[in-house]
Amino acid sequence: MLPWLAERFHNPSSLYAGAREARMAIDDARDTLAEALGCLSGEIVFTSSGTEAANLAVIGTALANRGGARNRILISAAEHHCVIHTRPLLESFGYRVELLAVERDASLSPGAVEEAIGDDVLLVAAMHANNETGAISDVERIQAIAREHGALYFCDAVQTFGLLPTPPVDLIAISAHKLYGPKGIGALVVRAGIKPQPTIIGGGQEREMRAGTENVAGIVGFGTAVRLAMNDEHRVARISAARDRFEAGLSSISPVFTQCTSRLPGHSHLRFSGLDAESMLINLDLLGVDAGSGAACSSGSIEPSHVLLAAGWPESEAKEALRFTFGKDTSLTEAVEAASRVAQAVRRYSSASAKA
Ligand SMILES: Cc1ncc(COP(=O)(O)O)c(C=O)c1O
């Protein structure tokens, strides 16, 4: 990326030699992504993030088909905020938006799509894997159901790209930073023949679907991250080995694991009964363990994750949920050490609450 940040300032849309080189660097990255995604290079639209890609898919499709006979949009209730929060806007365009109930692991069953779909549905939005629980949905089947009814299907594959094969669906959002690329660059795969209305308007970049001078360095970094992921054939096995070792190391402190039918290799989603996630995260941070919960802070209080509430969890359990994720460089030793520090945090927190 460095030359494109420090020395080579040419605008890829210009005609002189340096500009053509910038264009070629973008095209190289586009080809790499296309190979990894199993799509045509021309089907990739670079965006500023996974969020923008999802917005373009959902809002752009809604704008392009406004006022038509298809006036319903189906969204899985466990989608990322970048999809869920489009709802009021879609409704203001005149669409009826329905949130589809998800399973206890936050995956969406094809049956739920089958039940809700009809020939008045424009778009189905359902993610490949949930970012909190790690649960993977059967998106090939969801695409088939959507197609049978003439609806478009948008799949947020931000969590799976680089780890699992990407399903051949109509619209796919991905983001570079989830596979060690730079932050602030994403892409939307738009299959030939589908044309969302642009949500950023100006020049004719990205097949007239996303105006604005391209982020050349970000795109080059995205391409390199994808190439490195494609060449790292043992990445998934290493990541899941670290996760499994971590989970085995927790057996003495009785975690309640979230049972997923199928899950991401690097995700461990669990809770400790009676121990709220917020205090656990503070204790874990003090012990040098970076973990997450789906909870969001709003007006000074911690709100349980919308994903877990949608999945039917009681609020008390949702407030206990913790997410641990493992990366391509997490060693087994680190995984064992992390488990031992989690056990330490649980013991500390349990004895502090017993005294209180
Ligand atoms: C499932 C999912 N979708 C979308 C996004 C948004 O991607 P970005 O951070 O590139 O905007 C994220 C980010 O964490 C995510 O996990």
Side-chain angles (χ1 to χ4, degrees):
M1 292 171 70
L2 280 176
W4 303 105
L5 289 169
E7 297 153 19
R8 310 180 73 174
F9 296 106
H10 310 282
N11 184 331
S13 295
S14 298
L15 294 176
Y16 37 80
R20 286 199 302 275
E21 283 171 22
R23 169 66 49 211
M24 274 164 59
I26 292 177
D27 287 346
D28 271 358
R30 204 187 295 281
D31 291 346
T32 305
L33 262 71
E35 190 188 336
L37 289 157
C39 68
L40 303 172
S41 300
E43 292 177 327
I44 293 171
V45 177
F46 284 112
T47 60
S48 67
S49 57
T51 296
E52 190 197 322
N55 271 218
L56 174 58
V58 177
I59 300 169
T61 300
L63 281 171
N65 295 280
R66 212 172 169 174
R70 293 181 178 269
N71 66 351
R72 274 199 305 143
I73 293 178
L74 308 180
I75 298 181
S76 133
E79 291 301 287
H80 189 269
H81 284 146
C82 65
V83 175
I84 287 279
H85 288 177
T86 62
R87 185 181 187 178
L89 190 61
L90 302 177
E91 287 174 342
S92 76
F93 298 159
Y95 289 98
R96 221 167 83 214
V97 179
E98 290 169 30
L99 295 187
L100 302 182
V102 292
E103 303 298 301
R104 166 90 191 175
D105 66 1
S107 64
L108 180 67
S109 85
V113 181
E114 200 122 42
E115 227 167 81
I117 205 160
D119 293 344
D120 56 348
V121 170
L122 172 68
L123 178 73
V124 178
M127 67 209 315
H128 195 186
N130 185 266
N131 45 305
E132 289 183 31
T133 62
I136 298 169
S137 297
D138 182 354
V139 290
E140 282 88 351
R141 183 73 200 117
I142 294 171
Q143 169 70 81
I145 296 166
R147 208 157 272 168
E148 276 162 30
H149 291 268
L152 292 171
Y153 174 39
F154 163 61
C155 179
D156 172 347
V158 166
Q159 286 288 332
T160 53
F161 182 50
L163 290 173
L164 305 181
T166 308
V169 311
D170 296 328
L171 295 148
I172 306 164
I174 55 175
S175 180
H177 70 97
K178 288 293 190 275
L179 60 153
Y180 303 92
K183 287 163 184 65
I185 185 78
L188 180 68
V189 178
V190 182
R191 297 285 170 190
I194 301 174
K195 198 134 179 36
Q197 187 171 316
T199 48
I200 296 182
I201 294 152
Q205 292 92 346
E206 298 298 299
R207 283 199 291 143
E208 305 199 332
M209 270 188 261
R210 201 279 183 178
T213 300
E214 297 88 339
N215 172 357
V216 182
I219 292 171
V220 166
F222 198 173
T224 303
V226 172
R227 195 162 350 98
L228 291 172
M230 281 165 72
N231 292 337
D232 184 0
E233 55 178 319
H234 301 300
R235 182 177 289 194
V236 168
R238 277 200 320 276
I239 293 175
S240 62
R243 188 267 314 273
D244 294 349
R245 188 64 70 87
F246 168 78
E247 291 192 341
L250 297 179
S251 55
S252 65
I253 44 168
S254 315
V256 184
F257 291 111
T258 304
Q259 299 299 330
C260 299
T261 309
S262 166
R263 65 174 169 159
L264 287 169
H267 263 61
S268 181
H269 192 259
L270 54 91
R271 65 188 177 85
F272 295 100
S273 254
L275 305 187
D276 79 88
E278 190 190 359
S279 307
M280 275 299 290
L281 289 179
I282 294 167
N283 277 298
L284 287 169
D285 183 39
L286 290 172
L287 292 166
V289 178
D290 301 342
S293 78
C297 189
S298 95
S299 338
S301 70
I302 294 290
E303 297 293 329
S305 128
H306 75 279
V307 168
L308 301 180
L309 295 183
W313 290 40
E315 195 169 317
S316 56
E317 288 183 13
K319 281 186 165 174
E320 294 171 350
L322 294 169
R323 181 187 79 160
F324 296 89
T325 51
F326 298 80
K328 69 180 176 63
D329 299 316
T330 315
S331 68
L332 295 180
T333 315
E334 285 170 322
V336 170
E337 178 61 26
S340 127
R341 294 190 200 185
V342 172
Q344 212 180 323
V346 166
R347 289 195 195 101
R348 254 193 212 178
Y349 180 18
S350 309
S351 69
S353 10
K355 278 185 204 140

